[in-house]
């Protein structure tokens, strides 16, 4: 199986396909942003080897407000990081070109140095139920930094990717003001943390069927690993964890305080189901002609393209027992479907087993990069109703995702709604055709 990008490549051998280091996928979007992917603002971003190396590495350190320091800051062709210690003292670290690496920058800013523009993810913003897309992303106050982080990839195998907090602005500068957490290291260098921090979690046993959650850490401006601060923007840094690295592995999660990204390596993606495979699983599921045990009508998952618009054949499920039905108007107040859709998820009684629970439409999880295996979609997250394989559901239900400035909770990767119930997911019970 190949990744979605690879399956479409039918170019002759003479055409060089760029080397792909990996992809970043934003949690909460089931294949595309609510208003569609546009330019550098999209739900997934491929990091490929650039025609010319774009990486930088630290070189000269200037202490205090010397003429060299001022020159380094004003020189638009020179990357630099400025650490303001007091009004009288600034340390400026100059960075030089590194011909062995490529640099990619992520943040909220739409300025040209940002390769991948990321905005705050609103939980359930894709759950339109009839096409009324909720795009509150612009109106809420963003907590994502304009220049949030940078990823440096080795241009030669094994194409190691390393993450650092903060990105260079249009003047090729990173400024850490007086209030930012910063310090001198034992070897006399400077380091610091950004306001809301860049958190990383590497899963144990990679991104496979055996994956287990790792521990969330904070990454510094120079790429060192620290335990978490008491809250996201606390002045006091955590303890340095020398045994751990800022190297990204397949399945690493990066949290920018408002959006969480999943890093998939090119090798990891080559073992992941493709969109084509998910479509085949959908067709196979529909070919089994699952039926509503009440209305006896045949149910069908809508095509992946119509993934958030309710269809009359749409499967619905009771989230306490897992019985799958077509839409029906009894067990609640007996209203018409049009009125009911507004109250998706309110408690109703399952006609099959009399268990009361939320009653929701089921949606296939279409973002292949979130899947741990290629098994059939048999389980649904609660309370959103996104359907995927059992191993995938089990993995994501164990992952504590950062929420706000100091809390964590498990969420559905396809819509980032907080999971509910004992395990956060359940097995679906389909009724086969009677003939």
């Amino acid at each position: 199986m190949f990744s979605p990008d690879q399956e479409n490549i039918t170019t002759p051998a003479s055409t060089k396909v760029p080397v792909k280091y990996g992809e970043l996928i934003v949690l909460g979007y089931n294949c595309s942003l609510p208003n569609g992917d546009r330019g550098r603002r999209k739900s997934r971003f491929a990091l490929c080897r650039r025609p010319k190396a774009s990486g930088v590495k630290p070189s000269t350190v200037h202490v205090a407000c010397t003429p060299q320091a001022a020159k380094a800051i004003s020189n638009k062709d020179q990357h630099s990081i400025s650490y303001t210690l007091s009004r009288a003292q600034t340390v400026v670290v100059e960075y030089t070109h590194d011909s062995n690496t490529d640099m990619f920058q992520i943040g909220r800013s739409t300025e040209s140095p940002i390769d991948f523009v990321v905005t705050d993810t609103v939980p359930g913003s894709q759950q339109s139920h009839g096409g009324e897309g909720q795009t509150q992303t612009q109106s809420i106050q963003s907590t994502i930094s304009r220049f949030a982080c940078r990823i440096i990839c080795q241009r030669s195998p094994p194409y190691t990717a390393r993450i650092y907090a903060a990105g260079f602005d249009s003047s090729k500068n990173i400024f850490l003001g007086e209030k930012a957490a910063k310090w001198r290291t034992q070897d006399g260098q400077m380091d610091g943390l950004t306001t809301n921090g860049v958190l990383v979690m590497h899963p144990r046993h990679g991104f496979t069927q055996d994956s287990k959650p790792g521990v969330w850490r904070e990454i510094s401006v120079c790429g060192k690993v620290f335990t978490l601060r008491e809250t996201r923007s606390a002045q006091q840094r955590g303890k340095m964890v020398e045994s751990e690295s800022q190297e990204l592995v397949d399945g690493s999660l990066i949290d920018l305080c408002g959006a969480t990204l999943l890093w998939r390596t090119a090798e990891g993606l080559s073992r992941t189901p493709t969109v084509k495979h998910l479509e085949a699983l959908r067709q196979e599921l529909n070919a089994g002609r699952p039926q509503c045990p009440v209305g006896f009508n045949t149910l069908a998952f809508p095509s992946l393209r119509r993934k958030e618009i309710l269809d009359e054949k749409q499967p619905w499920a009771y989230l306490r027992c897992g019985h799958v039905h077509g839409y029906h108007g009894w067990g609640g107040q007996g209203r018409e479907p049009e009125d009911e859709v507004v109250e998706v998820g309110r408690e109703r009684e399952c006609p099959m087993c009399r268990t009361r629970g939320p009653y929701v439409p089921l949606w296939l999880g279409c973002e292949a990069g979130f899947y741990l295996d290629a098994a059939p979609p048999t389980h649904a997250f609660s309370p959103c109703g996104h359907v995927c394989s059992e191993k995938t559901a089990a993995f994501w239900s164990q992952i504590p995702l950062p929420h706000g400035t100091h809390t964590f909770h498990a969420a559905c990767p396809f819509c980032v709604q907080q999971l509910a119930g004992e395990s956060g997911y359940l097995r679906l019970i389909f009724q086969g055709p009677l003939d």
Side-chain angles (χ1 to χ4, degrees):
M1 288 188 290
F2 297 94
S3 76
D5 288 358
Q6 288 171 306
E7 67 188 11
N8 300 325
I9 296 171
T10 52
T11 45
S14 58
T15 310
K16 274 204 164 181
V17 175
V19 170
K20 186 198 278 189
Y21 301 128
E23 286 192 34
L24 290 168
I25 309 169
V26 190
L27 265 60
Y29 302 107
N30 203 1
C31 268
S32 69
L33 300 182
N35 293 333
D37 290 349
R38 292 189 183 91
R40 291 174 294 150
R41 199 177 294 216
K42 46 194 167 188
S43 66
R44 92 192 263 167
F45 171 68
L47 282 68
C48 298
R49 188 161 63 190
R50 301 192 189 270
K52 282 185 181 169
S54 63
V56 292
K57 57 187 176 185
S59 62
T60 319
V61 178
H62 303 283
V63 180
C65 294
T66 60
Q68 298 103 305
K71 190 180 168 196
I73 295 170
S74 62
N75 184 352
K76 294 242 190 284
D77 297 321
Q78 175 87 53
H79 285 86
S80 66
I81 301 183
S82 308
Y83 300 87
T84 305
L85 302 178
S86 66
R87 286 184 184 177
Q89 196 180 35
T90 297
V91 176
V92 179
V93 181
E94 286 187 18
Y95 276 64
T96 57
H97 177 69
D98 183 357
S99 58
N100 298 315
T101 62
D102 281 329
M103 179 169 69
F104 300 89
Q105 301 210 140
I106 300 124
R108 180 171 49 89
S109 171
T110 54
E111 287 181 33
S112 57
I114 294 294
D115 298 287
F116 187 28
V117 178
V118 177
T119 50
D120 296 70
T121 308
V122 179
S125 65
Q126 291 237 320
Q127 224 76 1
S128 53
H129 304 308
E132 299 287 326
Q134 302 164 248
T135 50
Q136 307 161 28
T137 29
Q138 299 313 309
S139 58
I140 58 173
Q141 188 66 44
S142 181
T143 45
I144 299 173
S145 171
R146 292 172 66 241
F147 300 91
C149 68
R150 58 199 195 278
I151 291 174
I152 304 274
C153 300
Q154 290 294 135
R155 286 174 63 84
S156 54
Y159 307 117
T160 307
R162 294 182 174 89
I163 186 167
Y164 300 79
F168 295 98
D169 64 17
S170 298
S171 307
K172 299 189 175 176
N173 290 319
I174 291 171
F175 290 97
L176 288 184
E178 275 189 74
K179 290 182 180 173
K182 66 190 104 49
W183 59 90
R184 248 182 238 283
T185 60
Q186 287 178 327
D187 55 1
Q189 300 294 316
M190 291 299 297
D191 201 353
L193 304 173
T194 54
T195 306
N196 286 328
V198 173
L199 308 188
V200 173
M201 188 194 82
H202 308 303
R204 291 180 292 127
H205 314 304
F207 199 71
T208 65
Q209 296 184 38
D210 303 318
S211 288
K212 292 279 181 271
V215 179
W216 283 99
R217 301 294 194 205
E218 180 162 12
I219 302 294
S220 73
V221 171
C222 295
K224 296 287 186 281
V225 182
F226 292 85
T227 59
L228 302 190
R229 292 179 262 181
E230 275 195 24
T231 62
R232 287 299 280 250
S233 55
Q235 289 286 298
Q236 190 64 41
R237 70 177 190 264
K239 289 184 180 147
M240 190 165 157
V241 187
E242 294 194 41
S243 59
E244 293 180 25
S245 150
Q246 94 261 45
E247 216 172 276
L248 297 175
V249 298
D250 192 35
S252 288
L253 286 165
I254 302 162
D255 188 80
L256 305 178
C257 195
T260 307
L261 316 180
L262 171 69
W263 168 255
R264 297 300 314 271
T265 61
E267 188 192 349
L269 283 168
S270 70
R271 299 189 299 265
T272 295
T274 62
V275 173
K276 246 182 205 170
H277 180 79
L278 295 183
E279 174 59 20
L281 288 176
R282 180 188 79 87
Q283 291 183 8
E284 203 175 306
L285 200 60
N286 289 348
R289 292 173 55 226
Q291 291 205 327
C292 173
V294 173
F296 302 116
N297 49 315
T298 302
L299 308 174
F301 279 95
S303 75
L304 300 186
R305 283 199 185 91
R306 288 177 55 84
K307 61 178 185 283
E308 303 300 346
I309 298 168
L310 276 172
D311 190 274
E312 58 182 25
K313 288 184 173 179
Q314 187 97 19
W316 286 62
Y318 288 88
L319 295 184
R320 290 269 192 281
C321 57
H323 283 116
V324 178
H325 291 69
Y327 180 80
H328 56 81
W330 57 84
Q333 299 302 314
R335 299 181 188 179
E336 289 305 301
E338 294 79 21
D339 303 326
E340 197 66 55
V341 166
V342 182
E343 291 194 74
V344 161
R346 91 191 156 85
E347 295 263 321
R348 300 183 54 157
E349 186 178 271
C350 171
M352 296 293 284
C353 65
R354 297 289 190 202
T355 306
R356 285 194 72 79
Y359 179 58
V360 300
L362 299 177
W363 308 96
L364 276 177
C366 312
E367 178 47 77
F370 296 152
Y371 279 75
L372 269 79
D373 61 4
T378 52
H379 287 65
F381 287 109
S382 173
C384 59
H386 278 108
V387 180
C388 60
S389 69
E390 181 178 8
K391 289 273 169 70
T392 302
F395 172 73
W396 287 104
S397 69
Q398 294 172 54
I399 299 285
L401 294 174
H403 179 74
T405 57
H406 57 274
T407 58
F408 291 80
H409 60 228
C412 166
F414 304 104
C415 68
V416 296
Q417 269 193 274
Q418 183 174 350
L419 299 184
E422 209 171 302
S423 63
Y425 69 100
L426 73 159
R427 186 173 70 87
L428 296 171
I429 303 167
F430 288 93
Q431 170 98 20
L434 298 174
D435 50 32

